[in-house]
Amino acid sequence: MDRLDNTIRPYAWGSTTAISELLGVAPSGEPQAEMWMGAHPGAPSRTARGTLVEVIEAAPERELGAAAVAKFGPRLPFLLKLLAAGAPLSLQVHPDLAQAKEGYEDEERRGIPIDAGHRNYKDANHKPELICALTEFDGLCGFRDPLKAADLLAGLGVDSLKPYVDLLHAHPEDAALREVLTAVLGADREEMARTVGEAAAACARLGGEYAPYADIAHHYPGDPGVIAAMLLNHVRLQPGEALFLGASIPHAYLSGLGVEIMANSDNVLRCGLTPKHVDVPELLRIVRFEAADAGVLRPEASPDGEEVYETPIDEFRLSRYVLPDGGAAHDLTRATPQILLCTAGSVRAGDHELSPGRSVFVPAGEKAAVTGTGTLFRATVIV
C-alpha cells in the first residue's frame, strides 16, 4: 500500500479555500481547482517507489491484477479527483467510445498536433464521470423539458429571446432543442453579447431560479453559453449525493467541493462558458438532444457498510464508508487496484494514518484493513 503525494491543479475557476480547508493547511491565495489521484501522465501521483505511472509500468499485473490488465490494458483506467469549483466550469459534453476512437483517428490522419488549441480528441477513450458532493454542490446536467426552458427564457422579458422561445414550442422536442442550441451558438457574436447582457440583468433582478444564471453571466459576460445553460437542468446536490455524466450529455459544474471519478481521458467538446475552442459542428454531432431529469444518485448500502454509487461503467467504481466511532475493522482487500481517500475524520488504512484529503494506492490483492472514525471513499474497477 502506497501513500500518495498528489498534484493540485491551479485552474482559474478553482476555489481559493475549499481544498486547503479540507487538507487543514493555510490557503495559498491562488485558485486550487483539482487534486489528481491516479496515473494520468499529466500529473501522476507520487509514491515512495516513484510516480504511480512508473510503479504500474514496472509490473502491471502485480499492481493492477491480471483481470484488469486483460480488460483495460496495462494502465489504471480511472482518475480520481477532489474538485473545488469557485466559479462555473465550461459547458461541455464527452464522446462515447466509438465517437472518441473515430474522432481521434480522424484528427491523427489530418495531422493536427495533439496539443493544438483546436484539437477535440486528445485520445481514443471515452470520458464518463461521476461527481459526489462533499459540500452543497451546484451544477447543470442534461436538457430541460423544452416547454420549461421556453418558460424560463420567456420570463426574462428579453425581446431578442422570443425566437428561441417560439422554437422551443416546436415538435419533436429533440429537433427543437437542436435548433435552439444551433441558433444560440451560431448567432452573431455582438448581437448575442447584447442579448446575454439584457438576460443577465433580468436574471439579477428576478433572482430565485434565475440566480444561478446571473452568477454564470457575471463570470462569462456576453458568452452564448449563458443562454445555452438555461436549456439545461439546474441541480443542487447535498453532501453524499452524486451525478453521473454519461456520453453526449451537456453539463457544467458551477460551485462546491466534490469527489470526482472518471475514465482516464482528456476528451472534451465545449458548448460555451470558456475562451477555449468551440467546434460547433462536431459538438452538434456528439450532443444527445433528449430532455430528461438530471438523475441524482444516492449510494446503495451493503451489509458490510460499503455505500456504492452504481453506474453503467466498468472503468471505475466509487463507493464510500462512513466509519462510526470505535467501529470494527473493515477488510477492503480486492483483486483489483484501489485508491482510498479520506474526506473526514481520521482513518487508518494498513500502516497509513489518513486525515482529510490524504490517500493511498492499494495494489490488486494486497491486504487492506481499515479502521478509525471518518469517511473514506474507495475507487476501483469492475472486471
Side-chain angles (χ1 to χ4, degrees):
M1 192 181 298
D2 299 277
R3 179 181 289 274
L4 299 180
D5 178 17
N6 303 305
T7 297
I8 295 176
R9 308 308 293 262
Y11 306 138
W13 50 261
S15 167
T16 58
T17 59
I19 289 179
S20 59
E21 286 178 357
L22 183 74
L23 293 172
V25 300
S28 67
E30 301 296 323
Q32 294 182 316
E34 297 179 346
M35 185 174 79
W36 289 19
M37 291 158 279
H40 191 287
S45 298
R46 298 170 295 278
T47 77
R49 297 189 284 158
T51 70
L52 198 52
V53 169
E54 293 166 341
V55 168
I56 291 170
E57 286 180 344
E61 289 201 0
R62 183 183 69 199
E63 303 296 333
L64 305 176
V69 171
K71 187 168 185 175
F72 304 112
R75 63 185 186 90
L76 190 67
F78 65 82
L79 177 64
L80 185 67
K81 299 179 180 180
L82 281 174
L83 183 146
L89 283 68
S90 61
L91 191 60
Q92 59 189 258
V93 297
H94 305 302
D96 64 25
L97 191 56
Q99 291 165 338
K101 289 180 177 178
E102 180 184 349
Y104 178 77
E105 290 170 0
D106 174 65
E107 291 185 331
E108 285 289 282
R109 279 194 303 269
R110 290 191 282 141
I112 301 175
I114 199 72
D115 58 352
H118 64 289
R119 175 131 186 178
N120 294 314
Y121 298 94
K122 307 294 186 182
D123 53 69
N125 199 17
H126 62 166
K127 193 187 178 187
E129 58 192 42
L130 176 79
I131 184 78
C132 177
L134 295 179
T135 65
E136 196 171 76
F137 193 99
D138 276 23
L140 304 172
C141 180
F143 286 107
R144 294 177 187 266
D145 179 287
L147 297 181
K148 292 181 179 178
D151 289 344
L152 192 70
L153 291 176
L156 293 172
V158 175
D159 287 345
S160 53
L161 290 174
K162 288 180 180 177
Y164 305 138
V165 173
D166 292 340
L167 283 172
L168 287 167
H169 283 95
H171 294 285
E173 70 175 25
D174 58 342
L177 291 167
R178 176 183 287 274
E179 285 192 44
V180 173
L181 185 62
T182 302
V184 168
L185 297 181
D188 178 84
R189 296 291 294 191
E190 289 187 8
E191 291 180 7
M192 178 53 67
R194 286 193 292 271
T195 295
V196 171
E198 291 181 45
C203 287
R205 183 179 69 254
L206 293 167
E209 65 178 332
Y210 291 99
Y213 309 102
D215 184 63
I216 292 170
H218 169 73
H219 289 284
Y220 299 98
D223 193 305
V226 175
I227 306 302
M230 298 183 76
L231 303 177
L232 307 185
N233 297 300
H234 173 249
V235 184
R236 177 162 292 164
L237 300 177
Q238 298 305 311
E241 295 180 334
L243 285 176
F244 172 69
L245 293 315
S248 307
I249 303 299
H251 62 276
Y253 302 145
L254 303 181
S255 65
L257 177 67
V259 174
E260 185 183 37
I261 191 169
M262 62 186 62
N264 213 341
S265 170
D266 279 333
N267 287 326
V268 175
L269 289 148
R270 296 175 178 86
C271 315
L273 310 183
T274 178
K276 295 182 179 180
H277 176 61
V278 177
D279 184 337
V280 175
E282 185 65 8
L283 170 72
L284 296 174
R285 188 179 77 86
I286 297 299
V287 171
R288 185 187 311 159
F289 290 95
E290 178 181 295
D293 291 337
V296 174
L297 290 178
R298 295 172 181 84
E300 298 288 335
S302 62
D304 69 350
E306 185 180 27
E307 300 175 345
V308 181
Y309 293 90
E310 297 287 355
T311 73
I313 298 300
D314 290 348
E315 282 95 335
F316 61 74
R317 176 184 184 273
L318 186 71
S319 61
R320 70 173 184 174
Y321 289 84
V322 180
L323 304 174
D325 186 20
H330 291 265
D331 183 3
L332 272 58
T333 306
R334 191 176 172 94
T336 52
Q338 304 180 74
I339 292 178
L340 307 180
L341 166 68
C342 175
T343 59
S346 178
V347 177
R348 186 174 184 83
D351 295 330
H352 302 282
E353 293 287 346
L354 302 181
S355 56
R358 311 301 176 184
S359 56
V360 293
F361 172 72
V362 186
E366 183 165 319
K367 179 72 174 177
V370 172
T371 58
T373 304
T375 301
L376 187 76
F377 279 84
R378 177 197 217 185
T380 187
V381 300
I382 298 174
V383 295

